[in-house]
Amino acid sequence: CISLALSLSALAQDSTPRFEIGLQGNGFFTRSSGDGDVQQTVSKNGGFLIDARYSLTRWLSADVAYGRNRVTNRYSTAEFSTIQSTVHQVTGGFVFNVPLSGRITPYLLAEGGALEFNPTGSAGTSIAGAHRQSVGTFAYGGGIDYALFKWIGLRAEYRGLVYSSPDFDIRGINPNAVTHTAEPSAGVVLRF
């Protein structure tokens, strides 16, 4: 009973922030992919990424992230096809922190989740019959947090997303390929 009281007292006195919210602007750069008959290229653009991170230990954190980008998928087939879509990204996993003395904390991340490609239906940038499509993704990467103050900091991060190229359930434009998106980002971190 006494050891439990001492442990709770020590925990209450520890004012180290354990919960973080990251707000970042990001880039979305996808490698061209295809199987020979169908090639897919994707426009490069910017968007945003929000993540919530909880420190389990000094070295390990649980992380969930949501991102949004607008891309245009171009398919080179017998009939050239273009589909503009909003990409919603949801991932969750673990962050491995490397606590250094001072204000800098490098980290590595490994996460799983999904990307949802939602056609915008804009005239000239979508083809009839394009459906919303979700694909599984593996996210890996790393970054650096720089503490400005105890409760706020800056973050620079790189995420790599590996997933199957979407085909929007359109016959004849399936590239049958796994692709990779590079997602660099930078922003602020709020700690609670």
Side-chain angles (χ1 to χ4, degrees):
C1 210
I2 293 173
S3 64
L4 177 61
L6 290 174
S7 298
L8 291 175
S9 174
L11 186 59
Q13 292 176 2
D14 181 16
S15 62
T16 303
R18 294 183 61 98
F19 185 72
E20 300 177 350
I21 299 284
L23 308 167
Q24 299 157 233
N26 70 352
F28 202 82
F29 308 103
T30 303
R31 179 177 53 107
S32 295
S33 60
D35 67 356
D37 294 334
V38 178
Q39 291 294 316
Q40 176 193 30
T41 58
V42 180
S43 63
K44 298 166 178 50
N45 71 15
F48 69 86
L49 184 69
I50 300 169
D51 75 323
R53 197 171 286 178
Y54 182 77
S55 295
L56 301 170
T57 69
R58 185 174 172 208
W59 295 88
L60 183 66
S61 299
D63 184 74
V64 294
Y66 169 78
R68 183 181 184 279
N69 296 83
R70 172 83 41 98
V71 299
T72 301
N73 296 280
R74 293 179 183 89
Y75 298 90
S76 62
T77 61
E79 297 176 13
F80 186 77
S81 301
T82 299
I83 302 173
Q84 184 183 63
S85 63
T86 301
V87 182
H88 299 277
Q89 167 189 164
V90 179
T91 60
F94 294 100
V95 174
F96 305 95
N97 304 301
V98 183
L100 300 176
S101 60
R103 298 174 179 251
I104 297 175
T105 305
Y107 61 87
L108 298 172
L109 63 90
E111 300 181 346
L115 299 175
E116 180 185 78
F117 293 84
N118 188 6
T120 62
S122 300
T125 60
S126 287
I127 57 176
H131 292 100
R132 177 183 305 186
Q133 185 176 22
S134 295
V135 296
T137 187
F138 170 71
Y140 69 92
I144 295 176
D145 285 347
Y146 178 79
L148 295 172
F149 303 102
K150 186 173 189 175
W151 307 105
I152 191 166
L154 300 176
R155 174 171 290 162
E157 182 177 274
Y158 170 84
R159 284 174 182 256
L161 305 173
V162 180
Y163 56 96
S164 294
S165 297
D167 63 8
F168 300 95
D169 295 328
I170 302 288
R171 181 188 291 246
I173 68 167
N174 188 343
N176 292 319
V178 172
T179 193
H180 180 272
T181 295
E183 190 177 41
S185 63
V188 297
V189 179
L190 306 173
R191 296 185 173 94
F192 305 95

